[in-house]
Amino acid sequence: MLRLRNVNSFYGNIQVLKNINVEISRGEIITLIGANGAGKTTTLMTISGIVPARSGEVLFMEKPIHNMRPDIIVSLGISQVPEGRRIFPYLTVSENLDMGAFLRTDSENIKKDMEYIFELFPILGQRRNQPGKTLSGGEQQMLAISRAIMARPKLLLLDEPSLGLAPLIVKQLFEIIKKINIENQTTIFLVEQNANLALKVAHRGYVMENGRITLSDSAENLFSNENVKKAYLGL
Ligand code: ATP
């Protein structure tokens, strides 16, 4: 579904991504783990077209997307949930969800999808008329993910969904991430510093260090890899 081939990305003169190669197949949950500043967010931004690759290729369903505008990339079926949630604070929960469906015209299905979201996250249904900023951190993360789902993405990019949330909320959130993957057959690319959790839900994973992919394997093998254990699992 997605292929990054020898991708290099920069902020000005500073090179952040160095010859990145990543492959994601339909239906997979793939995680990208790494330390602070390794380049994980930049990888997602490059896929979304926000930080365009300076060289290399990003192919989505065999189609080159590395020269496309972010809104065109969304319309092809890639939605990103940014780190730190970034919902619209003054719009209500329902209005935030409507914004996720901004590029869609099938109003009947949009309604159905909103009902599906309220089944997935009943708390959002109860809070549907409240401004986003009045939600708790965990509820805002649920809303941010839900807003992305409202675009009916084929590929969902999640940037640090666990950040700043209580362990119980994180556990619930990851259950839902698995559910979205299975029920909607949404392919998921999950960036996480919480490698423990990420490797529990993912099928495969990549490890990133200083802008390079240094390891790629099944989640199971990464979990038992001595270097990964020491560097990322605190074991
Ligand atoms: P974290 O887990 O802390 O979010 P990350 O692995 O997602 O880290 P990135 O956010 O991709 O890492 O950052 C990679 C490098 O690029 C860092 O050195 C960071 O300081 C730098 N960087 C990120 N955004 C910008 C920007 N807008 N302008 C200049 N440098 C940036």
Side-chain angles (χ1 to χ4, degrees):
M1 175 167 270
L2 185 83
R3 203 189 295 263
L4 272 66
R5 263 196 210 141
N6 301 324
V7 166
N8 293 288
S9 296
F10 292 70
Y11 293 107
N13 291 331
I14 299 169
Q15 182 166 10
V16 174
L17 299 188
K18 298 164 187 158
N19 253 349
I20 298 295
N21 288 286
V22 169
E23 281 183 25
I24 302 179
S25 300
R26 190 185 298 271
E28 282 189 309
I29 301 182
I30 299 298
T31 186
L32 177 62
I33 57 178
N36 264 327
K40 303 180 301 296
T41 296
T42 307
T43 306
L44 296 189
M45 295 294 198
T46 295
I47 297 167
S48 300
I50 296 164
V51 180
R54 199 166 287 179
S55 65
E57 289 182 315
V58 182
L59 303 169
F60 180 54
M61 300 196 300
E62 309 298 334
K63 209 180 185 161
I65 59 166
H66 44 270
N67 290 323
M68 290 183 180
R69 289 201 322 249
D71 56 319
I72 307 288
I73 294 175
V74 173
S75 73
L76 293 177
I78 300 181
S79 291
Q80 182 174 348
V81 180
E83 186 179 328
R85 330 218 242 256
R86 296 201 223 151
I87 54 154
F88 298 106
Y90 297 102
L91 298 185
T92 65
V93 167
S94 299
E95 287 165 344
N96 266 279
L97 294 175
D98 278 335
M99 293 304 282
F102 188 75
L103 292 172
R104 291 174 57 184
T105 50
D106 51 336
S107 46
E108 268 314 299
N109 288 331
I110 292 174
K111 244 191 234 160
K112 274 191 211 147
D113 287 354
M114 208 178 286
E115 288 312 315
Y116 170 72
I117 296 289
F118 294 151
E119 271 170 40
L120 211 54
F121 298 110
I123 192 78
L124 294 183
Q126 290 161 28
R127 308 261 189 273
R128 68 180 80 189
N129 296 318
Q130 275 180 225
K133 69 178 180 119
T134 63
L135 301 182
S136 71
E139 290 160 3
Q140 289 190 23
Q141 187 58 276
M142 292 171 195
L143 180 56
I145 294 173
S146 301
R147 184 182 56 187
I149 293 174
M150 288 300 291
R152 282 211 178 174
K154 297 182 180 78
L155 174 65
L156 185 62
L157 310 176
L158 296 176
D159 196 354
E160 303 268 7
S162 76
L163 198 73
L165 303 182
L168 188 63
I169 305 288
V170 171
K171 197 164 170 263
Q172 287 169 359
L173 209 57
F174 273 65
E175 286 303 319
I176 304 260
I177 290 171
K178 262 199 272 183
K179 205 167 165 185
I180 294 166
N181 170 249
I182 293 166
E183 282 183 2
N184 301 3
Q185 285 162 16
T186 308
T187 307
I188 295 177
F189 192 28
L190 169 69
V191 159
E192 258 296 342
Q193 271 196 50
N194 189 334
N196 232 311
L197 262 172
L199 290 174
K200 275 184 193 139
V201 299
H203 302 107
R204 289 190 298 117
Y206 290 85
V207 176
M208 182 170 243
E209 288 170 29
N210 297 319
R212 294 182 197 279
I213 300 288
T214 51
L215 202 55
S216 119
D217 211 331
S218 68
E220 214 179 322
N221 287 348
L222 288 176
F223 216 91
S224 51
N225 179 299
E226 287 306 321
N227 293 332
V228 173
K229 274 189 190 172
K230 261 190 234 140
Y232 304 108
L233 299 173
L235 299 174

